[in-house]
Amino acid sequence: MTASVLQIRARVRRRRGLVVSAALLAVLIVTVVSLSVGDYDFAPADLWRTLWGGGDRVQTYVVFQVRAPRMAMALLVGASLGAAGALLQSLLRNPLASPDLLGISGGAGAAAVFAILILGLSGPLLAVAAFGGGLIVAAFLLLAGQRRADGGYRLILAGVGVAFLCVALMNYMMVRAKVELAQSALIWLTGSLSSTPWWNVATVFVVALLATPAVIACARWLPLTQMGAATAASLGVRTATVRTAAVLTAVLLTSVTCAFVGPIAFIALCAPAIARPLLGHGAVGIGTSAAVGAALLGAADLVAQFALPGMSVPVGVVTGAIGAVFLLWLLATSKGRQL
């Protein structure tokens, strides 16, 4: 192995380390601000003392029962959506391939709305229903994209159509439902992190933990599949298996977050698009995308809570506004025009 190759590898590792460190630092800053700021402000010393069990009853309640569950859910959901978006974008080699635009979030949302309004489900059963809806959409997209060589583009176009169909189904169910149920479903559809109990956080954490081995395996094999099916097969990689594993993992991560906080838009699109250029060298960057997604959603939740004086808006409103601007910028760049 030549010295130039060793130097390139060293530079790649150094750059990856810097990017990951910066993303984790952003997550840490968002975490501290989320726990400190609110109607009851904490000085750094008071927050540190409360975290280690030295606060009074009010401080302990505010930190551990009000702010910490919401902050933890924001970080978990952001990381899960960032990883899901990185999996799909790397698999299809297209920066527009995200669960929102492919209709996976729409399928999970439609199934969840049906479970809420028609079946009266909640909690873990709602997560199962959302996963089923996302899985149905993913299966349809895989069938739509496997017939031709341009399957990635066909899959994205089919996903956009499915997303509109899911929106129509959700609107129909909302119109037919009772006012009280429709109002609760509407708040859920916007995407909200308010009133998050610890058991919701624990459920999302367990699912993300179970999906981690699949994410690591996909991160290892996806770069080889990007070299083409023939080259990947010659290296012993089963492209169909990797493709199915990546899609199922993305559906699982998207559906479980959708079930508990609603279909939060554009985090899965923006996080990988920010992480990949920072890493460079055609990296998949699933872990970095997860860290960027956590920081993005945590920061968006802070904006949702405190940007407008005297009122709080659902975090989905903020991510939708930011994501729309980001999508327009992406389409206006040279890479976007090549799509």
Side-chain angles (χ1 to χ4, degrees):
M1 188 176 295
T2 62
S4 59
V5 174
L6 292 176
Q7 291 175 355
I8 292 175
R9 287 189 173 183
R11 286 199 297 269
V12 171
R13 292 194 190 98
R14 191 181 308 114
R15 181 169 181 173
R16 183 182 297 121
L18 290 174
V19 172
V20 172
S21 299
L24 293 178
L25 178 61
V27 171
L28 179 61
I29 293 173
V30 168
T31 300
V32 173
V33 174
S34 299
L35 294 177
S36 302
V37 178
D39 294 333
Y40 190 105
D41 291 331
F42 283 86
D46 294 334
L47 178 63
W48 179 259
R49 185 174 60 253
T50 303
L51 289 175
W52 289 97
D56 58 32
R57 182 178 301 177
V58 174
Q59 292 174 332
T60 301
Y61 175 79
V62 169
V63 171
F64 290 104
Q65 300 301 323
V66 178
R67 296 180 185 173
R70 180 167 183 159
M71 176 271 301
M73 182 63 90
L75 298 184
L76 280 173
V77 170
S80 299
L81 293 177
L87 285 171
L88 293 175
Q89 291 181 18
S90 301
L91 176 66
L92 301 177
R93 289 176 286 181
N94 194 312
L96 294 181
S98 70
D100 338 52
L101 300 182
L102 288 179
I104 295 175
S105 296
V113 169
F114 178 82
I116 293 173
L117 299 181
I118 309 300
L119 302 180
L121 300 181
S122 61
L125 293 178
L126 183 62
V128 173
F131 177 73
L135 191 60
I136 292 173
V137 172
F140 170 76
L141 295 180
L142 286 175
L143 291 175
Q146 70 180 1
R147 296 182 178 274
R148 296 183 183 178
D150 61 345
Y153 298 98
R154 287 165 56 85
L155 194 150
I156 290 175
L157 292 175
V160 172
V162 171
F164 281 109
L165 177 61
C166 292
V167 171
L169 291 175
M170 286 187 285
N171 289 337
Y172 174 76
M173 287 187 287
M174 295 278 290
V175 170
R176 301 285 296 180
K178 295 180 179 180
V179 176
E180 296 80 4
L181 292 175
Q183 184 177 8
S184 62
L186 179 61
I187 296 175
W188 177 87
L189 282 172
T190 307
S192 177
L193 294 167
S194 61
S195 303
T196 301
W198 274 115
W199 73 267
N200 283 8
V201 179
T203 304
V204 176
F205 175 76
V206 170
V207 173
L209 191 64
L210 293 176
T212 299
V215 172
I216 295 174
C218 291
R220 179 181 179 185
W221 298 115
L222 276 175
L224 298 179
T225 63
Q226 293 177 349
M227 300 170 65
T231 303
S234 66
L235 295 173
V237 179
R238 297 182 179 180
T239 306
T241 302
V242 175
R243 182 187 185 95
T244 303
V247 171
L248 289 178
T249 305
V251 170
L252 178 62
L253 293 174
T254 303
S255 300
V256 71
T257 58
C258 182
F260 289 105
V261 300
I264 295 180
F266 288 113
I267 294 296
L269 174 72
C270 298
I274 294 173
R276 272 196 312 273
L278 294 176
L279 291 172
H281 300 285
V284 175
I286 297 177
T288 307
S289 298
V292 173
L296 282 177
L297 189 55
D301 189 43
L302 288 175
V303 174
Q305 293 182 73
F306 305 114
L308 299 178
M311 67 175 298
S312 176
V313 298
V315 68
V317 175
V318 178
T319 60
I322 296 174
V325 175
F326 183 85
L327 180 59
L328 292 174
W329 173 83
L330 181 64
L331 293 174
T333 59
S334 58
K335 291 183 180 180
R337 289 194 293 268
Q338 291 173 3
L339 300 177

